[in-house]
Amino acid sequence: MKRSILHIGNTGARIRIFIFLFILSYMYMYGNDDIENIDGFDNSLLLSKINQYRETYINDVYDTVKYYSNVNYDINIKRRNALIHTMPYIPITIIKNRQHHGKCKYMMSVDDGGKYNLNICGNQKDEYTKMLGIFIRYLKPDIYNETIIEDYLLSPLYLSNKKHYIYHNVRRDSISVKIQFIPKVKNTQLVTGYAIVDYKSGRVLCYEFEGEYDMNKFHVRVMMSDGSNSSVPESTYADLSVKYLGNHILFKLKSSNSIVSKNIEALDMNCQSDDNLQHENDVDIIHKADSDTISEARSKRFVFFDFVNNNLVNKINTSIGADNQGILRLGPILNPLYFGYSNKKGLVYKLRANVKYNLSDNSNISARIRFGYSFRQKQPYFNIPVYYYFDKKNNGFINLDFGNGNRITNSTLLEKVKQENEIDSIDFNKMNLDYFKDLSVKLVANYDFTPVIGLQGGFIFHRRSAVDPLSFEMLDKQAVYKSFAPLVQLKLSPWGDKGIIFTADYEHGLNGILGSTVNYNRWEFDASYIHDLTCARYISVKSGFGFYSSKGKDQYFLDYSNFRDNNLTGGWRDEWTGDFELLDRNWYNASDYYVRLNSTYESPLLIFSRVPIFGQIIETERLYMGIMTVRKINPYVEMGYAFTNRVFSLGVFTGLKNMKFEGVGFRFGFELFDKW
């Protein structure tokens, strides 16, 4: 016993020492925001000038100004094996020949937030440029912005990110300064490099950086433009190295001759009419000679892999209409990205498809198909929302939503069946009398009368059928329940889309319509808010309450809109905020009221991402906190931590029900190629 106590004590002491050292190292690395000064230059002042310069000139590249650039690229497969065919967008000709050189042209615009949008010009699109579209983002990095590439890679020249970097500068001449930056910790969201800056104005003349993110090790060099376009790159060189399960592919990209146009229509025509930049469909003579030596059997094998690559593991994107008014996107049919796991649902397979057709600049038709299968529940799920936007400017749309994505349970009906059938020989626990399939159809119309007020109205129909209908027939009990209800929603956005959004929902069940046998009045009120912080962090809060003010005598189903168990959730980018991972699904439909609060904090550098080795793997971390109360549970509290990397996301959750420990659960999802 003494040994055991001594062992526990030593373990506890070690844990406390580890925590103490971790806090000390954190304070050392992040507690001081001062920047080292060399040769009399004040780097803090220099960073301030750089940020002020961008704010001064960024308005010159908004909206009316677009750019297009010529791109030369080389692709070289250093190592390959059969698994290379599971990589999206890798053309079979490149896999066979190993090397390829080509050209294309792309267009760049700058949105209201100052971020770059890149598109390869229409007549340049083929199997090569489709793959190139994954990496072309590195040709227009934005060192002035908070994140260099889209929403990742924290820029060392953005003032709020300085706490993550160590800076050194060297006098270059009387005008410019070379400032070098290295991360305080090695992390996928941080880069190493330098920038040459005009010390007087804060204008960046050129810069270079390197790092590794999402299987891609990159080295980028940028020369900036002159004059009013000086906040935009003029020429860029990018060396990219992608390693995946024994495969190694090198990309060399060069963009130059950035041309400015304030006439968008003329620019689009230039993109489509320049024949000098047509893609080189024929590879070099050496490559062709290599391909001619491939045996017939080998060619047949590649034809098979080409079919697999294009139809099973690739994302399918195709245009619709003579003028490409629409687009169809289908996720890979066989891809680990579409498998996930959670304690409640077990292994789940998911598949997605999106289709959109533009009718005019202000109207379109779109559909988002979601399919899933739970191996534990042996139940397929689907959801098909179809939208017709008749006035996009005012969020005017008609939505038809058809699906069965929320299988529900109902213990109230089971209890009544037990009371009416007091037979000892019946084992009700084996009859699955509380499980129901829920097939629903929802039709609503929405219109925002002002940027603050929006109104939605329509109806919803449910057909709830027992999973075990034979048991209901044996007990002479109804196995199918139908409901029809008009509904209305009022949305208030006092501070716009980036502020708190309030919604109020009312639903009234009616008897006798489409076989409906239930009547009720349901009210729900919700508030949601996402607050963006510096350094690519944010806080998300979602709270609300709902109740049934009345319900019929035989109304067993309490089905809320904002408080439900969603069977078709996805990976990291889907909403985890409103879910309770460990809460038994029975509680979602067991009370005539609920009150809940969910919050999430996300950061690329939170806990384990600051630790050596872990920091080279983890891309983003989250903390979760949720609390809710329903009848018989007051309160239920759930906490969680999750991280994501290039391959998967993992969440760990624990809960307290009526202040008693509920257990520990996990949620897992593949994120492989999710950003491709």
Side-chain angles (χ1 to χ4, degrees):
M1 180 65 69
K2 289 182 180 180
R3 281 187 176 180
S4 177
I5 294 174
L6 181 60
H7 176 72
I8 294 174
N10 286 340
T11 302
R14 290 169 186 163
I15 293 174
R16 288 192 294 271
I17 291 172
F18 174 80
I19 295 174
F20 177 71
L21 292 175
F22 180 82
I23 293 173
L24 283 180
S25 62
Y26 177 87
M27 293 174 63
Y28 172 75
M29 290 187 293
Y30 294 94
N32 186 4
D33 286 344
D34 293 338
I35 303 175
E36 183 177 354
N37 301 320
I38 300 177
D39 295 335
F41 285 90
D42 186 344
N43 281 332
S44 294
L45 178 60
L46 182 59
L47 288 181
S48 298
K49 287 183 178 181
I50 293 172
N51 284 260
Q52 290 171 4
Y53 184 87
R54 180 182 188 274
E55 293 299 324
T56 301
Y57 284 91
I58 193 63
N59 291 330
D60 294 330
V61 295
Y62 275 158
D63 295 334
T64 57
V65 179
K66 290 195 175 185
Y67 309 78
Y68 68 85
S69 295
N70 303 328
V71 178
N72 288 273
Y73 62 90
D74 288 285
I75 305 171
N76 182 14
I77 299 180
K78 302 292 290 184
R79 293 195 306 272
R80 69 184 182 190
N81 56 46
L83 294 175
I84 196 172
H85 297 279
T86 65
M87 297 180 67
Y89 307 125
I90 304 297
I92 197 70
T93 52
I94 292 182
I95 297 176
K96 289 190 293 185
N97 300 313
R98 290 182 177 265
Q99 293 181 330
H100 180 75
H101 171 75
K103 299 178 182 179
C104 69
K105 181 187 294 184
Y106 70 87
M107 184 189 302
M108 186 192 82
S109 61
V110 185
D111 63 21
D112 291 340
K115 289 193 174 183
Y116 301 153
N117 299 310
L118 300 173
N119 291 290
I120 294 176
C121 293
N123 69 335
Q124 308 296 314
K125 292 181 180 178
D126 57 20
E127 60 178 355
Y128 300 101
T129 54
K130 185 182 293 186
M131 175 187 61
L132 191 64
I134 305 168
F135 306 103
I136 202 171
R137 66 193 76 172
Y138 288 92
L139 289 178
K140 285 293 180 246
D142 189 359
I143 197 72
Y144 286 106
N145 202 13
E146 185 176 14
T147 52
I148 302 175
I149 308 292
E150 296 180 352
D151 59 350
Y152 58 92
L153 300 184
L154 299 179
S155 172
L157 299 188
Y158 196 81
L159 200 58
S160 64
N161 294 335
K162 68 178 184 179
K163 61 184 177 182
H164 298 301
Y165 288 96
I166 297 173
Y167 300 81
H168 301 281
N169 57 42
V170 179
R171 183 186 295 275
R172 187 175 175 85
D173 53 41
S174 59
I175 298 175
S176 61
V177 175
K178 181 177 181 180
I179 181 169
Q180 298 174 326
F181 43 82
I182 59 173
K184 290 185 176 180
V185 295
K186 195 168 184 179
N187 184 269
T188 59
Q189 293 278 14
L190 304 177
V191 297
T192 301
Y194 71 88
I196 298 177
V197 183
D198 183 325
Y199 185 73
K200 185 176 181 179
S201 66
R203 174 194 168 198
V204 177
L205 305 176
C206 63
Y207 61 93
E208 188 171 339
F209 65 92
E210 62 182 27
E212 185 173 1
Y213 187 86
D214 193 28
M215 294 182 291
N216 178 26
K217 190 174 183 179
F218 52 85
H219 186 105
V220 181
R221 291 170 290 161
V222 181
M223 294 293 296
M224 301 298 287
S225 302
D226 296 325
S228 61
N229 302 301
S230 57
S231 61
V232 178
E234 178 181 8
S235 61
T236 308
Y237 302 84
D239 292 325
L240 312 173
S241 174
V242 179
K243 293 183 178 180
Y244 167 70
L245 298 178
N247 297 280
H248 187 193
I249 307 177
L250 299 179
F251 297 85
K252 290 185 180 296
L253 312 174
K254 176 184 177 181
S255 69
S256 58
N257 302 324
S258 182
I259 303 173
V260 181
S261 174
K262 292 192 176 183
N263 187 333
I264 297 174
E265 293 182 0
L267 178 60
D268 292 342
M269 290 180 63
N270 287 335
C271 264
Q272 296 174 2
S273 62
D274 192 341
D275 295 330
N276 295 326
L277 283 172
Q278 286 292 332
H279 182 77
E280 298 179 0
N281 291 318
D282 295 329
V283 295
D284 295 340
I285 297 176
I286 296 176
H287 304 156
K288 189 175 187 303
D290 290 340
S291 64
D292 291 339
T293 62
I294 300 174
S295 65
E296 183 178 354
R298 181 176 174 82
S299 298
K300 290 181 179 180
R301 178 165 61 89
F302 273 109
V303 168
F304 168 76
F305 278 124
D306 194 20
F307 171 81
V308 173
N309 197 49
N310 290 332
N311 296 281
L312 296 182
V313 300
N314 270 352
K315 296 178 182 178
I316 298 173
N317 295 306
T318 183
S319 299
I320 302 173
D323 298 323
N324 297 328
Q325 302 99 319
I327 187 169
L328 170 66
R329 293 189 178 95
L330 177 65
I333 298 174
L334 296 178
N335 194 306
L337 177 62
Y338 288 90
F339 285 91
Y341 174 84
S342 68
N343 286 63
K344 289 190 296 184
K345 302 176 182 66
L347 185 64
V348 177
Y349 171 77
K350 294 160 288 186
L351 182 65
R352 304 178 182 182
N354 296 329
V355 61
K356 182 179 179 181
Y357 191 87
N358 293 316
L359 302 172
S360 69
D361 292 339
N362 196 37
S363 63
N364 63 49
I365 298 176
S366 64
R368 294 176 297 173
I369 302 170
R370 301 291 184 268
F371 172 81
Y373 183 83
S374 172
F375 290 89
R376 175 178 293 174
Q377 299 169 352
K378 298 180 181 179
Q379 172 72 29
Y381 299 99
F382 67 88
N383 177 243
I384 308 174
V386 180
Y387 287 85
Y388 165 53
Y389 274 87
F390 56 87
D391 187 355
K392 292 192 295 183
K393 294 180 180 178
N394 295 294
N395 200 30
F397 64 81
I398 297 174
N399 169 223
L400 175 63
D401 196 319
F402 176 61
N404 72 338
N406 288 289
R407 181 177 178 179
I408 66 173
T409 62
N410 186 274
S411 57
T412 306
L413 179 57
L414 175 59
E415 294 300 324
K416 184 167 184 178
V417 171
K418 288 181 178 180
Q419 294 175 5
E420 294 176 354
N421 298 270
E422 297 181 359
I423 305 174
D424 295 336
S425 60
I426 298 178
D427 187 355
F428 290 100
N429 295 325
K430 295 183 178 180
M431 298 179 71
N432 293 322
L433 297 179
D434 53 347
Y435 285 90
F436 288 82
K437 302 175 184 177
D438 184 9
L439 187 67
S440 65
V441 179
K442 183 179 179 181
L443 179 64
V444 297
N446 185 91
Y447 194 82
D448 291 354
F449 296 96
T450 71
V452 176
I453 300 176
L455 187 64
Q456 185 176 120
F459 70 85
I460 186 168
F461 173 79
H462 287 274
R463 184 184 184 276
R464 301 178 176 95
S465 57
V467 173
D468 187 3
L470 296 178
S471 297
F472 277 83
E473 293 178 8
M474 182 183 70
L475 297 170
D476 195 24
K477 195 67 178 177
Q478 183 179 345
V480 177
Y481 296 82
K482 300 177 182 179
S483 66
F484 177 89
L487 56 86
V488 63
Q489 181 189 86
L490 176 66
K491 183 180 72 173
L492 299 176
S493 308
W495 300 278
D497 293 337
K498 294 185 178 180
I500 303 176
I501 298 177
F502 301 94
T503 59
D505 293 82
Y506 172 71
E507 187 175 308
H508 177 62
L510 298 175
N511 283 324
I513 300 180
L514 298 177
S516 174
T517 58
V518 297
N519 60 83
Y520 58 87
N521 288 288
R522 177 179 61 80
W523 301 80
E524 285 188 80
F525 301 88
D526 189 78
S528 59
Y529 177 57
I530 298 178
H531 180 64
D532 291 322
L533 302 169
T534 59
C535 305
R537 300 170 299 151
Y538 76 83
I539 295 176
S540 174
V541 180
K542 191 173 181 65
S543 64
F545 65 94
F547 60 90
Y548 279 75
S549 59
S550 65
K551 58 180 180 177
K553 180 180 179 181
D554 294 328
Q555 170 57 25
Y556 305 109
F557 301 97
L558 305 172
D559 192 15
Y560 296 103
S561 294
N562 300 323
F563 181 62
R564 56 170 53 193
D565 186 30
N566 189 359
N567 289 299
L568 288 175
T569 54
W572 184 265
R573 297 181 185 274
D574 278 10
E575 289 291 341
W576 280 18
T577 306
D579 291 346
F580 290 93
E581 292 298 317
L582 300 181
L583 184 64
D584 191 285
R585 64 170 55 201
N586 290 307
W587 294 110
Y588 288 97
N589 308 102
S591 175
D592 53 8
Y593 74 89
Y594 74 86
V595 180
R596 67 175 180 84
L597 171 67
N598 300 85
S599 61
T600 302
Y601 172 70
E602 178 173 310
S603 173
L605 289 149
L606 187 58
I607 302 173
F608 294 105
S609 55
R610 301 181 185 272
V611 179
I613 299 178
F614 284 99
Q616 299 172 239
I617 301 173
I618 297 176
E619 295 176 356
T620 308
E621 297 176 275
R622 282 181 184 169
L623 295 177
Y624 301 90
M625 170 64 75
I627 182 170
M628 73 94 191
T629 178
V630 296
R631 194 176 299 280
K632 296 184 180 180
I633 300 182
N634 187 20
Y636 175 80
V637 180
E638 189 170 279
M639 297 163 287
Y641 164 83
F643 70 86
T644 185
N645 58 32
R646 66 191 68 177
V647 180
F648 64 88
S649 59
L650 177 65
V652 182
F653 299 87
T654 185
L656 298 172
K657 185 170 69 176
N658 293 330
M659 305 314 294
K660 294 182 179 179
F661 183 63
E662 183 73 359
V664 176
F666 300 90
R667 178 168 170 172
F668 177 87
F670 280 102
E671 306 291 333
L672 194 63
F673 304 122
D674 189 39
K675 303 179 186 69
W676 284 41

